[in-house]
Amino acid sequence: MASSAQNPFGERPLAYGADGALAMDGHSLEAIARDAGTPCYVYSAAALRARARRLKALLAPGDQPAFSVKACSSLGVLKVFADEGLSFDIVSGGELARLRRLGVEGARIVFSGAGKSAAELQAALEARVRLVNIESLGELDRLRAFARGSRITATVALRVNPDVAADTHEKIATGHAGAKFGLTPGEARQAAAALAGDPWVRLEGLHIHLGSMLRRGDEFARALQRLEPVLLSEEMRPHKLQWFNLGGGVAIPYRLEEPATDPKPLLSPGIGFARRHKLRLMIEPGRYLVGPCGVLLTAVEYVKDRGERCFVVADAAMTELLRPALYGAWHEIVPVRPARGRGLRTFDVVGPVCETGDTLGAARTMPLPNPGDLLAVLDCGAYASSMASGYNSRPLAAEVLVDGETIRRIRRRQSAEELLGLETP
Ligand code: LLP
């Protein structure tokens, strides 16, 4: 990967080629857009592998790095991580079905979520997932009954809410007392007491997840201080814990001028905790592994130039990238073929969806594009395709994986028949 000194794109697998157009791992994004149509997502397999390897290098051999499937659940991307030997963190039966399709065994899957349904718990049991992360006493009761009824031993971790308010966007913080996630430390001890001597449910781990876009190791250190008394409590004594799952949340830079995040200082309190207590460490980052590896390509439909206020209307919308509309998130937007000799203008890049909030980027300053020009929205590997919707009856966009010499269409664009396929008038 090029360093940021040579390449304004830092760790992203992007560079302007000799022909003047933006390329991913040497493949022209213009050619990919011509072939796949726009809007489309494009990912680099080399970048996915490089990030997975970098994380693995921070861990000990018995530890398990897991990819949080919700960040990007496309089969073509999951396959790259499965082949790299990663485990997976899932939150639904649908995500489980994706991994089953790839042949990923249950021993490489952990299942979180505040509202797992009866069918989802049953499917998790049957798939023999490594750990079901228990988030409520009600869920534990349900799972115990299913395990007994189906005579399948369930292995579980307790997801503890450590009441640490992470310094991040309020909608993606999960580890404070006001959040719906996890058990209080008191409930976790109750759950451990209830499981003593249960022949069908083995308590094997503790789990925390503080939130997303985390940058501070001290937040993890504080959470671990709150978790330690649970681990050392009387109620835990009958159980043979093996795992400590630190959750995900490693931030990535969304602005070109920001430096890359080093995951090590974030992970080191958890690594120390696991070693001290002789537990195997699990981590489950999503964004860190995929975010910088993908772009969303979009073509300009219209330019509404009103002097003071100028809108570039692109063919991608909040349906392909919800993050700006939902969180006010920033994604860099760059021209695929920068215009020469055109002056800079400031304009909003908006989509065709009928919502004023349907903005991909407000107040961007660059040469004003023309209709037909291509733009690349950066850092769309995570929480872009996986958060897509069909609002305004828009079809799901195509997805492309660039892998060395090859370019593979890992999802084609949804057709009009498929869009209506589930319905009858
Ligand atoms: N583990 C659990 C239990 C989680 O709930 C999540 C994310 C992760 C791991 C992975 O977090 P990451 O490493 O990707 O930060 N849609 C939002 C992010 C929501 C994250 C939800 N949970 C966004 O676009 O920023």
Side-chain angles (χ1 to χ4, degrees):
M1 267 180 259
S3 82
S4 51
Q6 303 147 338
N7 182 343
F9 297 110
E11 299 188 322
R12 301 168 185 89
L14 299 169
Y16 285 106
D19 67 344
L22 192 62
M24 181 180 278
D25 293 340
H27 294 281
S28 155
L29 291 176
E30 281 181 344
I32 290 174
R34 259 196 311 275
D35 186 55
T38 54
C40 72
Y41 307 92
V42 191
Y43 309 94
S44 153
L48 295 171
R49 287 188 197 107
R51 296 184 81 80
R53 286 172 195 178
R54 205 179 308 159
L55 266 193
K56 281 193 278 187
L58 296 176
L59 304 178
D63 295 343
Q64 273 202 29
F67 172 60
S68 191
V69 172
K70 66 178 82 63
C72 184
S73 47
S74 309
L75 291 177
V77 168
L78 296 178
K79 169 97 168 55
V80 173
F81 288 140
D83 290 347
E84 279 297 304
L86 294 193
S87 291
F88 296 92
D89 151 57
I90 60 167
V91 289
S92 73
E95 289 184 351
L96 178 60
R98 289 176 175 277
L99 296 176
R100 303 300 282 171
R101 166 72 73 86
L102 293 175
V104 173
E105 61 277 29
R108 285 166 68 189
I109 300 173
V110 294
F111 194 170
S112 286
K116 301 176 199 79
S117 70
E120 286 173 329
L121 286 174
Q122 197 71 51
L125 255 184
E126 277 154 25
R128 288 164 170 76
V129 305
R130 165 78 66 179
L131 294 169
V132 177
N133 292 325
I134 299 295
E135 304 220 14
S136 66
L137 295 174
E139 180 192 356
L140 183 60
D141 286 345
R142 211 181 212 184
L143 184 66
R144 290 179 74 190
F146 288 162
R148 199 178 331 115
S150 49
R151 309 187 81 71
I152 300 175
T153 308
T155 45
V156 303
L158 302 177
R159 175 170 177 177
V160 180
N161 182 324
D163 191 17
V164 169
D167 182 9
T168 185
H169 191 283
E170 57 166 351
K171 288 196 172 133
I172 55 176
T174 53
H176 53 294
K180 69 180 174 185
F181 300 100
L183 302 161
T184 64
E187 287 171 338
R189 291 173 62 165
Q190 242 178 291
L195 286 175
D198 186 320
W200 296 109
V201 180
R202 273 207 315 268
L203 174 52
E204 290 194 348
L206 290 179
H207 174 222
I208 58 170
H209 172 69
L210 301 185
S212 258
M213 285 299 286
L214 307 180
R215 294 193 164 87
R216 290 172 36 184
D218 64 306
E219 295 174 339
F220 282 101
R222 240 180 319 134
L224 295 173
Q225 274 170 13
R226 305 253 167 92
L227 189 67
E228 198 154 32
V230 178
L231 177 65
L232 299 176
S233 67
E234 194 61 32
E235 293 86 340
M236 278 297 160
R237 221 167 270 171
H239 302 289
K240 208 174 149 2
L241 294 197
Q242 287 192 47
W243 293 100
F244 167 57
N245 183 340
L246 185 61
V250 179
I252 59 165
Y254 278 99
R255 294 189 186 247
L256 285 179
E257 66 272 19
E258 273 180 88
T261 326
D262 178 2
K264 199 168 175 194
L266 286 170
L267 302 185
S268 46
I271 293 176
F273 183 87
R275 301 291 169 263
R276 225 173 26 256
H277 294 290
K278 303 201 166 36
L279 297 169
R280 294 168 71 184
L281 181 68
M282 195 176 288
I283 55 171
E284 46 186 30
R287 185 186 329 258
Y288 176 81
L289 284 164
V290 274
C293 310
V295 296
L296 171 63
L297 292 181
T298 179
V300 173
E301 297 278 13
Y302 303 102
V303 176
K304 295 175 79 162
D305 190 353
R306 297 169 181 156
E308 273 291 278
R309 198 76 213 245
C310 182
F311 295 100
V312 166
V313 186
D315 63 3
M318 63 193 287
T319 43
E320 287 73 41
L321 179 64
L322 184 59
R323 303 189 71 259
L326 190 59
Y327 314 117
W330 176 281
H331 283 255
E332 298 284 0
I333 302 177
V334 300
V336 168
R337 183 175 286 280
R340 292 209 187 142
R342 259 190 263 163
L344 295 179
R345 286 290 301 276
T346 296
F347 51 85
D348 290 356
V349 181
V350 300
V353 162
C354 300
E355 298 260 352
T356 299
D358 179 30
T359 298
L360 296 174
R364 301 309 169 99
T365 301
M366 60 181 127
L368 191 61
N370 290 317
D373 286 357
L374 279 176
L375 301 173
V377 187
L378 306 192
D379 303 313
C380 283
Y383 303 112
S385 155
S386 63
M387 292 176 77
S389 79
Y391 186 39
N392 282 201
S393 291
R394 287 168 59 83
L396 289 173
E399 295 186 286
V400 174
L401 182 73
V402 167
D403 191 357
E405 296 299 300
T406 64
I407 298 176
R408 283 200 303 121
R409 185 91 60 91
I410 55 172
R411 184 172 78 188
R412 61 174 173 74
R413 185 188 173 90
Q414 191 177 32
S415 69
E417 301 82 75
E418 285 164 334
L419 200 59
L420 304 179
L422 301 178
E423 300 175 35
T424 37

